[in-house]
PDB file of all heavy atoms in Angstrom:
ATOM      1  N   HIS C   1      -5.805  10.798  20.738  1.00 91.00           N
ATOM      2  CA  HIS C   1      -5.309   9.491  20.307  1.00 91.00           C
ATOM      3  C   HIS C   1      -4.329   8.994  21.357  1.00 91.00           C
ATOM      4  O   HIS C   1      -3.380   9.702  21.712  1.00 91.00           O
ATOM      5  CB  HIS C   1      -4.534   9.592  18.991  1.00 91.00           C
ATOM      6  CG  HIS C   1      -5.386   9.869  17.801  1.00 91.00           C
ATOM      7  ND1 HIS C   1      -4.856  10.026  16.539  1.00 91.00           N
ATOM      8  CD2 HIS C   1      -6.717  10.007  17.669  1.00 91.00           C
ATOM      9  CE1 HIS C   1      -5.827  10.265  15.679  1.00 91.00           C
ATOM     10  NE2 HIS C   1      -6.972  10.269  16.344  1.00 91.00           N
ATOM     11  N   VAL C   2      -4.539   7.783  21.839  1.00 91.00           N
ATOM     12  CA  VAL C   2      -3.557   7.149  22.711  1.00 91.00           C
ATOM     13  C   VAL C   2      -3.102   5.867  22.023  1.00 91.00           C
ATOM     14  O   VAL C   2      -3.877   4.922  21.882  1.00 91.00           O
ATOM     15  CB  VAL C   2      -4.124   6.816  24.108  1.00 91.00           C
ATOM     16  CG1 VAL C   2      -3.035   6.204  24.985  1.00 91.00           C
ATOM     17  CG2 VAL C   2      -4.692   8.066  24.768  1.00 91.00           C
ATOM     18  N   ASP C   3      -1.863   5.853  21.533  1.00 94.00           N
ATOM     19  CA  ASP C   3      -1.278   4.655  20.930  1.00 94.00           C
ATOM     20  C   ASP C   3      -0.541   3.895  22.018  1.00 94.00           C
ATOM     21  O   ASP C   3       0.323   4.461  22.700  1.00 94.00           O
ATOM     22  CB  ASP C   3      -0.309   5.022  19.804  1.00 94.00           C
ATOM     23  CG  ASP C   3      -1.012   5.622  18.597  1.00 94.00           C
ATOM     24  OD1 ASP C   3      -2.262   5.547  18.539  1.00 94.00           O
ATOM     25  OD2 ASP C   3      -0.322   6.168  17.726  1.00 94.00           O
ATOM     26  N   ARG C   4      -0.882   2.624  22.191  1.00 93.00           N
ATOM     27  CA  ARG C   4      -0.287   1.831  23.265  1.00 93.00           C
ATOM     28  C   ARG C   4       0.377   0.578  22.715  1.00 93.00           C
ATOM     29  O   ARG C   4      -0.235  -0.184  21.959  1.00 93.00           O
ATOM     30  CB  ARG C   4      -1.344   1.435  24.287  1.00 93.00           C
ATOM     31  CG  ARG C   4      -0.881   0.342  25.245  1.00 93.00           C
ATOM     32  CD  ARG C   4      -1.781   0.169  26.443  1.00 93.00           C
ATOM     33  NE  ARG C   4      -1.618   1.279  27.368  1.00 93.00           N
ATOM     34  CZ  ARG C   4      -2.112   1.276  28.611  1.00 93.00           C
ATOM     35  NH1 ARG C   4      -2.809   0.238  29.044  1.00 93.00           N
ATOM     36  NH2 ARG C   4      -1.919   2.294  29.404  1.00 93.00           N
ATOM     37  N   ALA C   5       1.627   0.358  23.108  1.00 94.00           N
ATOM     38  CA  ALA C   5       2.347  -0.875  22.809  1.00 94.00           C
ATOM     39  C   ALA C   5       2.461  -1.674  24.098  1.00 94.00           C
ATOM     40  O   ALA C   5       2.965  -1.173  25.102  1.00 94.00           O
ATOM     41  CB  ALA C   5       3.736  -0.563  22.262  1.00 94.00           C
ATOM     42  N   SER C   6       1.957  -2.902  24.090  1.00 92.00           N
ATOM     43  CA  SER C   6       1.988  -3.784  25.265  1.00 92.00           C
ATOM     44  C   SER C   6       2.980  -4.910  24.988  1.00 92.00           C
ATOM     45  O   SER C   6       2.922  -5.544  23.936  1.00 92.00           O
ATOM     46  CB  SER C   6       0.603  -4.365  25.540  1.00 92.00           C
ATOM     47  OG  SER C   6      -0.352  -3.333  25.686  1.00 92.00           O
ATOM     48  N   ARG C   7       3.861  -5.184  25.957  1.00 91.00           N
ATOM     49  CA  ARG C   7       4.954  -6.125  25.716  1.00 91.00           C
ATOM     50  C   ARG C   7       5.107  -7.132  26.841  1.00 91.00           C
ATOM     51  O   ARG C   7       4.704  -6.888  27.975  1.00 91.00           O
ATOM     52  CB  ARG C   7       6.276  -5.349  25.547  1.00 91.00           C
ATOM     53  CG  ARG C   7       6.260  -4.395  24.363  1.00 91.00           C
ATOM     54  CD  ARG C   7       7.547  -3.600  24.261  1.00 91.00           C
ATOM     55  NE  ARG C   7       7.531  -2.689  23.133  1.00 91.00           N
ATOM     56  CZ  ARG C   7       7.869  -3.031  21.900  1.00 91.00           C
ATOM     57  NH1 ARG C   7       8.262  -4.255  21.634  1.00 91.00           N
ATOM     58  NH2 ARG C   7       7.813  -2.147  20.929  1.00 91.00           N
ATOM     59  N   ARG C   8       5.712  -8.266  26.474  1.00 88.00           N
ATOM     60  CA  ARG C   8       6.064  -9.293  27.451  1.00 88.00           C
ATOM     61  C   ARG C   8       7.318  -8.865  28.208  1.00 88.00           C
ATOM     62  O   ARG C   8       7.916  -7.845  27.905  1.00 88.00           O
ATOM     63  CB  ARG C   8       6.319 -10.625  26.741  1.00 88.00           C
ATOM     64  CG  ARG C   8       5.207 -11.120  25.859  1.00 88.00           C
ATOM     65  CD  ARG C   8       5.678 -12.227  24.938  1.00 88.00           C
ATOM     66  NE  ARG C   8       5.817 -13.506  25.615  1.00 88.00           N
ATOM     67  CZ  ARG C   8       6.698 -14.434  25.278  1.00 88.00           C
ATOM     68  NH1 ARG C   8       7.567 -14.209  24.308  1.00 88.00           N
ATOM     69  NH2 ARG C   8       6.740 -15.584  25.904  1.00 88.00           N
ATOM     70  N   ALA C   9       7.721  -9.679  29.169  1.00 83.00           N
ATOM     71  CA  ALA C   9       8.914  -9.368  29.949  1.00 83.00           C
ATOM     72  C   ALA C   9      10.169  -9.336  29.079  1.00 83.00           C
ATOM     73  O   ALA C   9      11.131  -8.625  29.394  1.00 83.00           O
ATOM     74  CB  ALA C   9       9.079 -10.385  31.069  1.00 83.00           C
ATOM     75  N   ASP C  10      10.187 -10.094  27.980  1.00 83.00           N
ATOM     76  CA  ASP C  10      11.354 -10.101  27.096  1.00 83.00           C
ATOM     77  C   ASP C  10      11.236  -9.069  25.980  1.00 83.00           C
ATOM     78  O   ASP C  10      11.978  -9.107  25.013  1.00 83.00           O
ATOM     79  CB  ASP C  10      11.579 -11.498  26.509  1.00 83.00           C
ATOM     80  CG  ASP C  10      10.406 -11.975  25.647  1.00 83.00           C
ATOM     81  OD1 ASP C  10       9.401 -11.228  25.524  1.00 83.00           O
ATOM     82  OD2 ASP C  10      10.474 -13.096  25.114  1.00 83.00           O
ATOM     83  N   ALA C  11      10.274  -8.140  26.128  1.00 85.00           N
ATOM     84  CA  ALA C  11      10.043  -7.023  25.196  1.00 85.00           C
ATOM     85  C   ALA C  11       9.363  -7.432  23.899  1.00 85.00           C
ATOM     86  O   ALA C  11       9.198  -6.613  22.996  1.00 85.00           O
ATOM     87  CB  ALA C  11      11.336  -6.265  24.897  1.00 85.00           C
ATOM     88  N   THR C  12       8.939  -8.696  23.775  1.00 90.00           N
ATOM     89  CA  THR C  12       8.186  -9.116  22.590  1.00 90.00           C
ATOM     90  C   THR C  12       6.807  -8.469  22.596  1.00 90.00           C
ATOM     91  O   THR C  12       6.110  -8.518  23.612  1.00 90.00           O
ATOM     92  CB  THR C  12       8.014 -10.648  22.573  1.00 90.00           C
ATOM     93  OG1 THR C  12       9.286 -11.268  22.641  1.00 90.00           O
ATOM     94  CG2 THR C  12       7.279 -11.097  21.312  1.00 90.00           C
ATOM     95  N   PRO C  13       6.368  -7.860  21.484  1.00 94.00           N
ATOM     96  CA  PRO C  13       5.047  -7.229  21.456  1.00 94.00           C
ATOM     97  C   PRO C  13       3.921  -8.259  21.615  1.00 94.00           C
ATOM     98  O   PRO C  13       3.979  -9.343  21.033  1.00 94.00           O
ATOM     99  CB  PRO C  13       4.990  -6.570  20.075  1.00 94.00           C
ATOM    100  CG  PRO C  13       6.417  -6.427  19.654  1.00 94.00           C
ATOM    101  CD  PRO C  13       7.124  -7.606  20.245  1.00 94.00           C
ATOM    102  N   ILE C  14       2.930  -7.918  22.404  1.00 94.00           N
ATOM    103  CA  ILE C  14       1.723  -8.735  22.551  1.00 94.00           C
ATOM    104  C   ILE C  14       0.562  -8.093  21.807  1.00 94.00           C
ATOM    105  O   ILE C  14      -0.194  -8.761  21.107  1.00 94.00           O
ATOM    106  CB  ILE C  14       1.350  -8.902  24.038  1.00 94.00           C
ATOM    107  CG1 ILE C  14       2.416  -9.704  24.776  1.00 94.00           C
ATOM    108  CG2 ILE C  14      -0.025  -9.567  24.189  1.00 94.00           C
ATOM    109  CD1 ILE C  14       2.176  -9.796  26.275  1.00 94.00           C
ATOM    110  N   GLU C  15       0.447  -6.778  21.954  1.00 96.00           N
ATOM    111  CA  GLU C  15      -0.707  -6.065  21.398  1.00 96.00           C
ATOM    112  C   GLU C  15      -0.290  -4.648  21.059  1.00 96.00           C
ATOM    113  O   GLU C  15       0.554  -4.063  21.734  1.00 96.00           O
ATOM    114  CB  GLU C  15      -1.833  -6.051  22.441  1.00 96.00           C
ATOM    115  CG  GLU C  15      -3.019  -5.174  22.083  1.00 96.00           C
ATOM    116  CD  GLU C  15      -3.544  -4.412  23.288  1.00 96.00           C
ATOM    117  OE1 GLU C  15      -2.912  -3.399  23.698  1.00 96.00           O
ATOM    118  OE2 GLU C  15      -4.567  -4.828  23.847  1.00 96.00           O
ATOM    119  N   TRP C  16      -0.875  -4.097  19.987  1.00 97.00           N
ATOM    120  CA  TRP C  16      -0.745  -2.674  19.692  1.00 97.00           C
ATOM    121  C   TRP C  16      -2.152  -2.131  19.517  1.00 97.00           C
ATOM    122  O   TRP C  16      -2.977  -2.748  18.834  1.00 97.00           O
ATOM    123  CB  TRP C  16       0.078  -2.431  18.425  1.00 97.00           C
ATOM    124  CG  TRP C  16       0.420  -0.975  18.232  1.00 97.00           C
ATOM    125  CD1 TRP C  16       1.502  -0.319  18.740  1.00 97.00           C
ATOM    126  CD2 TRP C  16      -0.343   0.002  17.521  1.00 97.00           C
ATOM    127  NE1 TRP C  16       1.466   0.995  18.378  1.00 97.00           N
ATOM    128  CE2 TRP C  16       0.343   1.236  17.634  1.00 97.00           C
ATOM    129  CE3 TRP C  16      -1.546  -0.031  16.810  1.00 97.00           C
ATOM    130  CZ2 TRP C  16      -0.131   2.415  17.048  1.00 97.00           C
ATOM    131  CZ3 TRP C  16      -2.024   1.139  16.230  1.00 97.00           C
ATOM    132  CH2 TRP C  16      -1.302   2.341  16.338  1.00 97.00           C
ATOM    133  N   ARG C  17      -2.429  -1.028  20.175  1.00 95.00           N
ATOM    134  CA  ARG C  17      -3.788  -0.487  20.075  1.00 95.00           C
ATOM    135  C   ARG C  17      -3.759   1.022  19.873  1.00 95.00           C
ATOM    136  O   ARG C  17      -2.802   1.703  20.225  1.00 95.00           O
ATOM    137  CB  ARG C  17      -4.610  -0.833  21.310  1.00 95.00           C
ATOM    138  CG  ARG C  17      -4.335   0.005  22.531  1.00 95.00           C
ATOM    139  CD  ARG C  17      -5.311  -0.270  23.666  1.00 95.00           C
ATOM    140  NE  ARG C  17      -5.022  -1.505  24.378  1.00 95.00           N
ATOM    141  CZ  ARG C  17      -5.722  -1.928  25.427  1.00 95.00           C
ATOM    142  NH1 ARG C  17      -6.740  -1.234  25.865  1.00 95.00           N
ATOM    143  NH2 ARG C  17      -5.396  -3.043  26.041  1.00 95.00           N
ATOM    144  N   ARG C  18      -4.837   1.522  19.321  1.00 95.00           N
ATOM    145  CA  ARG C  18      -5.065   2.966  19.244  1.00 95.00           C
ATOM    146  C   ARG C  18      -6.429   3.249  19.852  1.00 95.00           C
ATOM    147  O   ARG C  18      -7.433   2.652  19.447  1.00 95.00           O
ATOM    148  CB  ARG C  18      -5.000   3.483  17.814  1.00 95.00           C
ATOM    149  CG  ARG C  18      -5.410   4.959  17.675  1.00 95.00           C
ATOM    150  CD  ARG C  18      -4.998   5.535  16.326  1.00 95.00           C
ATOM    151  NE  ARG C  18      -3.542   5.706  16.263  1.00 95.00           N
ATOM    152  CZ  ARG C  18      -2.880   6.006  15.143  1.00 95.00           C
ATOM    153  NH1 ARG C  18      -3.526   6.123  13.994  1.00 95.00           N
ATOM    154  NH2 ARG C  18      -1.570   6.156  15.168  1.00 95.00           N
ATOM    155  N   ALA C  19      -6.454   4.135  20.846  1.00 93.00           N
ATOM    156  CA  ALA C  19      -7.701   4.526  21.497  1.00 93.00           C
ATOM    157  C   ALA C  19      -8.042   5.948  21.082  1.00 93.00           C
ATOM    158  O   ALA C  19      -7.165   6.815  20.991  1.00 93.00           O
ATOM    159  CB  ALA C  19      -7.555   4.430  23.011  1.00 93.00           C
ATOM    160  N   TYR C  20      -9.326   6.171  20.818  1.00 94.00           N
ATOM    161  CA  TYR C  20      -9.826   7.501  20.469  1.00 94.00           C
ATOM    162  C   TYR C  20     -10.764   7.939  21.598  1.00 94.00           C
ATOM    163  O   TYR C  20     -11.797   7.315  21.831  1.00 94.00           O
ATOM    164  CB  TYR C  20     -10.612   7.480  19.160  1.00 94.00           C
ATOM    165  CG  TYR C  20      -9.857   6.894  17.983  1.00 94.00           C
ATOM    166  CD1 TYR C  20      -9.872   5.523  17.745  1.00 94.00           C
ATOM    167  CD2 TYR C  20      -9.156   7.714  17.102  1.00 94.00           C
ATOM    168  CE1 TYR C  20      -9.197   4.974  16.661  1.00 94.00           C
ATOM    169  CE2 TYR C  20      -8.477   7.176  16.013  1.00 94.00           C
ATOM    170  CZ  TYR C  20      -8.505   5.803  15.803  1.00 94.00           C
ATOM    171  OH  TYR C  20      -7.839   5.270  14.731  1.00 94.00           O
ATOM    172  N   GLY C  21     -10.392   9.007  22.301  1.00 91.00           N
ATOM    173  CA  GLY C  21     -11.210   9.488  23.405  1.00 91.00           C
ATOM    174  C   GLY C  21     -11.701  10.899  23.156  1.00 91.00           C
ATOM    175  O   GLY C  21     -11.038  11.694  22.464  1.00 91.00           O
ATOM    176  N   ARG C  22     -12.835  11.206  23.719  1.00 88.00           N
ATOM    177  CA  ARG C  22     -13.392  12.543  23.556  1.00 88.00           C
ATOM    178  C   ARG C  22     -12.433  13.585  24.120  1.00 88.00           C
ATOM    179  O   ARG C  22     -11.981  13.495  25.253  1.00 88.00           O
ATOM    180  CB  ARG C  22     -14.742  12.623  24.269  1.00 88.00           C
ATOM    181  CG  ARG C  22     -15.843  11.943  23.507  1.00 88.00           C
ATOM    182  CD  ARG C  22     -17.154  11.945  24.253  1.00 88.00           C
ATOM    183  NE  ARG C  22     -17.417  13.202  24.968  1.00 88.00           N
ATOM    184  CZ  ARG C  22     -18.574  13.472  25.554  1.00 88.00           C
ATOM    185  NH1 ARG C  22     -19.557  12.581  25.507  1.00 88.00           N
ATOM    186  NH2 ARG C  22     -18.759  14.610  26.191  1.00 88.00           N
ATOM    187  N   ALA C  23     -12.129  14.601  23.295  1.00 86.00           N
ATOM    188  CA  ALA C  23     -11.160  15.611  23.698  1.00 86.00           C
ATOM    189  C   ALA C  23     -11.649  16.440  24.871  1.00 86.00           C
ATOM    190  O   ALA C  23     -10.844  16.973  25.646  1.00 86.00           O
ATOM    191  CB  ALA C  23     -10.826  16.521  22.514  1.00 86.00           C
ATOM    192  N   ASP C  24     -12.977  16.563  25.030  1.00 83.00           N
ATOM    193  CA  ASP C  24     -13.483  17.357  26.147  1.00 83.00           C
ATOM    194  C   ASP C  24     -13.273  16.653  27.484  1.00 83.00           C
ATOM    195  O   ASP C  24     -13.465  17.244  28.542  1.00 83.00           O
ATOM    196  CB  ASP C  24     -14.969  17.701  25.961  1.00 83.00           C
ATOM    197  CG  ASP C  24     -15.869  16.484  25.883  1.00 83.00           C
ATOM    198  OD1 ASP C  24     -15.370  15.388  25.560  1.00 83.00           O
ATOM    199  OD2 ASP C  24     -17.076  16.621  26.151  1.00 83.00           O
ATOM    200  N   ARG C  25     -12.866  15.370  27.447  1.00 80.00           N
ATOM    201  CA  ARG C  25     -12.556  14.645  28.671  1.00 80.00           C
ATOM    202  C   ARG C  25     -11.055  14.380  28.822  1.00 80.00           C
ATOM    203  O   ARG C  25     -10.643  13.736  29.771  1.00 80.00           O
ATOM    204  CB  ARG C  25     -13.297  13.297  28.684  1.00 80.00           C
ATOM    205  CG  ARG C  25     -14.813  13.420  28.706  1.00 80.00           C
ATOM    206  CD  ARG C  25     -15.307  14.108  29.959  1.00 80.00           C
ATOM    207  NE  ARG C  25     -16.749  14.047  30.064  1.00 80.00           N
ATOM    208  CZ  ARG C  25     -17.409  13.203  30.846  1.00 80.00           C
ATOM    209  NH1 ARG C  25     -16.745  12.356  31.593  1.00 80.00           N
ATOM    210  NH2 ARG C  25     -18.726  13.213  30.873  1.00 80.00           N
ATOM    211  N   PHE C  26     -10.252  14.851  27.858  1.00 80.00           N
ATOM    212  CA  PHE C  26      -8.818  14.598  27.913  1.00 80.00           C
ATOM    213  C   PHE C  26      -8.164  15.429  29.008  1.00 80.00           C
ATOM    214  O   PHE C  26      -8.550  16.574  29.255  1.00 80.00           O
ATOM    215  CB  PHE C  26      -8.176  14.935  26.576  1.00 80.00           C
ATOM    216  CG  PHE C  26      -6.680  14.776  26.542  1.00 80.00           C
ATOM    217  CD1 PHE C  26      -6.115  13.508  26.509  1.00 80.00           C
ATOM    218  CD2 PHE C  26      -5.838  15.881  26.569  1.00 80.00           C
ATOM    219  CE1 PHE C  26      -4.733  13.347  26.479  1.00 80.00           C
ATOM    220  CE2 PHE C  26      -4.465  15.726  26.551  1.00 80.00           C
ATOM    221  CZ  PHE C  26      -3.916  14.454  26.504  1.00 80.00           C
ATOM    222  N   ARG C  27      -7.160  14.858  29.667  1.00 75.00           N
ATOM    223  CA  ARG C  27      -6.405  15.591  30.668  1.00 75.00           C
ATOM    224  C   ARG C  27      -4.956  15.117  30.635  1.00 75.00           C
ATOM    225  O   ARG C  27      -4.663  13.984  30.272  1.00 75.00           O
ATOM    226  CB  ARG C  27      -6.983  15.386  32.068  1.00 75.00           C
ATOM    227  CG  ARG C  27      -6.816  13.972  32.590  1.00 75.00           C
ATOM    228  CD  ARG C  27      -7.392  13.832  33.987  1.00 75.00           C
ATOM    229  NE  ARG C  27      -7.184  12.492  34.501  1.00 75.00           N
ATOM    230  CZ  ARG C  27      -7.668  12.064  35.654  1.00 75.00           C
ATOM    231  NH1 ARG C  27      -8.375  12.876  36.416  1.00 75.00           N
ATOM    232  NH2 ARG C  27      -7.438  10.834  36.071  1.00 75.00           N
ATOM    233  N   TYR C  28      -4.061  16.020  31.013  1.00 70.00           N
ATOM    234  CA  TYR C  28      -2.644  15.659  31.109  1.00 70.00           C
ATOM    235  C   TYR C  28      -2.075  16.394  32.314  1.00 70.00           C
ATOM    236  O   TYR C  28      -2.215  17.606  32.447  1.00 70.00           O
ATOM    237  CB  TYR C  28      -1.883  16.070  29.853  1.00 70.00           C
ATOM    238  CG  TYR C  28      -0.394  15.852  29.942  1.00 70.00           C
ATOM    239  CD1 TYR C  28       0.129  14.555  29.887  1.00 70.00           C
ATOM    240  CD2 TYR C  28       0.486  16.913  30.104  1.00 70.00           C
ATOM    241  CE1 TYR C  28       1.493  14.334  29.997  1.00 70.00           C
ATOM    242  CE2 TYR C  28       1.854  16.687  30.199  1.00 70.00           C
ATOM    243  CZ  TYR C  28       2.351  15.398  30.150  1.00 70.00           C
ATOM    244  OH  TYR C  28       3.701  15.185  30.253  1.00 70.00           O
TER     245      TYR C  28
END
C-alpha cells in the first residue's frame, strides 16, 4: 500500500490516493 498526499505550495491538499502494488515487485 502506498498512501500519497499531494499538496499545493501553500500546503492545501489537492489529491489523496492509495495505490496497491504487487508485493513481489515491491522494493525499498
Side-chain angles (χ1 to χ4, degrees):
H1 289 178
V2 182
D3 292 348
R4 166 167 287 192
S6 304
R7 299 177 180 275
R8 305 165 77 211
D10 62 359
T12 304
I14 294 175
E15 171 220 77
W16 190 87
R17 78 172 77 178
R18 173 165 289 170
Y20 305 87
R22 284 176 39 172
D24 61 338
R25 296 297 188 102
F26 177 74
R27 68 179 182 185
Y28 174 73

